[in-house]
Every structure is written in structure tokens, then in C-alpha cells.
Amino acid sequence: KPRGIVSSKNPAEGKTVFEEFPKYKNLNAVGRLDKESEGLLLLSNDGVITAVVTGENHTVEKEYEVTVREDISAWHIKKMEDGIVLDGKSTLPARGELIDSHTFRLILTEGRTHQIRRMADFLRLTIERLIRLRIGNITLTGLTSGKSRTLTEKEVLELKKLRNN
């Protein structure tokens, strides 16, 4: 999903991913990326995959690369890994990696609304770019912004296997 495109089907929110990719208009977004975020977005009509990725008991890893305006340190990463209280409840443990003084990777197993943006805000970090790189075994490898591809049978089966974990 390119930046500036919304994940919903509601054109009142802005240009939708379904306007960007009209051949997928009969599918649903599996999880969401806010308008200012970019990267991997699954579109599907498979309820099992939707439940695996977004259901109440989902623990599918989602990997993000985040660039912030401020300098970041191992302390910031540790705070995000340990969990930050949002809406009175701590986020689940995450895995983080410092890339450079303004960029880090974060792997989450939950997907609260605007979670990374809210965690960054708590740490007084201003996000300049947020890209989802991976959902489970599915990556952006070989895709440029605004491009799409169909999942392989193997990828679909691997995602579905995660429902039993």
C-alpha cells in the first residue's frame, strides 16, 4: 500500500486501496495500515486467513521499519520490547532492532489501533516513515510501492497453519 491511500472501502476517508487496485475490489483488507503508513497489506476473501492475522487470538508476527525525526537509542527499543501501557493495558512483548540513529525495526504480535504511532508518541518520537515489511511468512520482497501479487499456495497454507499455534 502506498502512503496516502486508505485501507478501507470508504471513499469518504480518501483514495482507497480498492481504487488503487480495482481488480481486488471484491476482497477485504486483512488488517489495516493508516493513511500515512505504507507497505504490505493483505487483501483476501478467506475468513480463516483473516482470523489468523487479525482475530482476537492472533499472534502472527508483523514486522515494521520505522524512521523517526529524533535520535533513538537502545533504551527506546528496550521500552517498546518490554511493552508500553496504552488504554490501561500493556502492549505485548515485541522484538526491536536499532538500524541507525533514526531508524528501527519492530516486530509485533498484536495490532492495536495506531499501535506503533502511539508507542512512539509515548516515547516522544515523531514518526516520519512507517513501512510494514512482513506479515507472518509474507514479505514485500520483489514488490515496489503500488504493486501487487497473488499469494502462492504454499504461502496460503503456511498462514493457515498458524491458526493452530
Side-chain angles (χ1 to χ4, degrees):
K1 179 188 96 60
R3 189 175 190 168
I5 304 290
V6 296
S7 299
S8 81
K9 289 190 173 185
N10 183 356
E13 295 178 28
K15 185 175 181 183
T16 73
V17 71
F18 301 99
E19 291 174 82
E20 184 79 6
F21 301 103
K23 69 181 180 180
Y24 300 120
K25 69 181 180 211
N26 294 323
L27 301 178
N28 297 305
V30 179
R32 293 182 60 137
L33 283 174
D34 64 49
K35 187 175 184 176
E36 295 308 310
S37 298
E38 57 192 290
L40 183 61
L41 179 67
L42 297 180
L43 303 175
S44 179
N45 59 0
D46 187 311
V48 172
I49 287 179
T50 301
V52 165
V53 175
T54 64
E56 185 148 328
N57 296 319
H58 69 285
T59 56
V60 173
E61 289 186 346
K62 295 162 199 86
E63 182 175 354
Y64 301 84
E65 185 172 287
V66 184
T67 303
V68 297
R69 184 176 306 142
E70 298 78 12
D71 284 341
I72 53 174
S73 67
W75 177 85
H76 292 100
I77 302 301
K78 178 85 169 103
K79 293 296 280 183
M80 287 184 274
E81 286 179 332
D82 290 346
I84 291 175
V85 175
L86 301 176
D87 303 322
K89 183 179 173 194
S90 183
T91 58
L92 292 178
R95 291 196 330 262
E97 176 188 4
L98 192 59
I99 305 295
D100 63 38
S101 62
H102 294 277
T103 308
F104 62 94
R105 287 223 170 115
L106 193 62
I107 298 173
L108 303 178
T109 56
E110 66 180 330
R112 296 200 209 171
T113 303
H114 303 290
Q115 181 172 342
I116 294 174
R117 292 185 186 282
R118 293 168 62 207
M119 291 168 74
D121 187 55
F122 179 84
L123 296 171
R124 301 193 189 287
L125 298 171
T126 309
I127 293 180
E128 293 188 332
R129 188 172 189 204
L130 192 156
I131 308 167
R132 182 160 48 205
L133 303 173
R134 177 174 65 86
I135 298 173
N137 59 315
I138 314 300
T139 69
L140 282 176
T141 304
L143 287 178
T144 56
S145 184
K147 299 297 178 193
S148 66
R149 72 172 179 85
T150 302
L151 297 181
T152 66
E153 255 185 72
K154 181 181 178 190
E155 288 171 325
V156 170
L157 289 173
E158 286 175 359
L159 271 177
K160 288 183 174 188
K161 281 182 194 173
L162 295 174
R163 75 177 157 180
N164 300 320
N165 292 344

